[in-house]
Amino acid sequence: MPVTFDHTRIRVSNLEISTNWYCQTCGFEILRLTEKSPSGNQLAHLHIPGSNHKLELTYSPDYNVNVPEDLVHTCIRVDDILEYCEMLEGLQMELDLWPSNWREQFKNGKNMAFITDPDGYEIEILEHA
């Protein structure tokens, strides 16, 4: 029986802010929005074109989102990490881009960066091999 990895769910403190952040910074697109799931949550199902794995953002007004540092991260791949990080710097939003000296790091062949979403989840950025 074949098995596939379909999606990852994370809790967010503001569905609209998080949805916009993932679409603007990571290239996600909205597959569907659900105002009220069977368990009462608001959901945003996102995907990156060309990827089969999806991201489910879940908001519930009675859930306090508290992401411990370095607990979990997701990862996206880009064609040109230097160009991508320059695009991120140009966005008119607060970004936590690590390492702060990424231009120097990339020259030395360490082409990996992290950004942090509005709730504290880390997103690793790698180049396509």
Side-chain angles (χ1 to χ4, degrees):
M1 166 183 356
V3 177
T4 60
F5 190 30
D6 188 72
H7 71 276
T8 299
R9 172 182 168 170
I10 61 172
R11 294 271 185 175
V12 297
S13 58
N14 184 305
L15 191 63
E16 183 178 357
I17 288 172
S18 291
T19 299
N20 289 338
W21 191 90
Y22 277 92
C23 290
Q24 291 175 0
T25 62
C26 300
F28 280 88
E29 294 179 356
I30 299 170
L31 286 174
R32 83 177 170 276
L33 299 171
T34 304
E35 271 302 310
K36 190 171 184 182
S37 71
S39 59
N41 298 315
Q42 292 179 316
L43 308 173
H45 294 267
L46 310 178
H47 82 116
I48 294 177
S51 176
N52 292 328
H53 191 78
K54 295 176 279 304
L55 180 62
E56 178 184 316
L57 304 180
T58 303
Y59 170 75
S60 177
D62 60 345
Y63 187 88
N64 183 29
V65 177
N66 181 15
V67 180
E69 185 176 332
D70 204 26
L71 173 67
V72 65
H73 76 265
T74 55
C75 180
I76 60 172
R77 288 194 178 263
V78 299
D79 288 334
D80 183 329
I81 196 167
L82 180 63
E83 180 181 304
Y84 187 80
C85 288
E86 287 173 344
M87 179 276 300
L88 290 174
E89 277 196 333
L91 293 175
Q92 298 301 311
M93 61 176 58
E94 187 176 328
L95 291 171
D96 179 17
L97 184 58
W98 178 91
S100 58
N101 65 339
W102 53 271
R103 283 183 181 85
E104 283 302 311
Q105 293 278 57
F106 295 170
K107 287 179 188 175
N108 296 326
K110 297 184 188 221
N111 294 0
M112 173 181 66
F114 283 87
I115 51 177
T116 305
D117 87 351
D119 289 300
Y121 294 102
E122 293 180 336
I123 296 86
E124 182 177 3
I125 306 164
L126 298 174
E127 278 187 334
H128 290 289

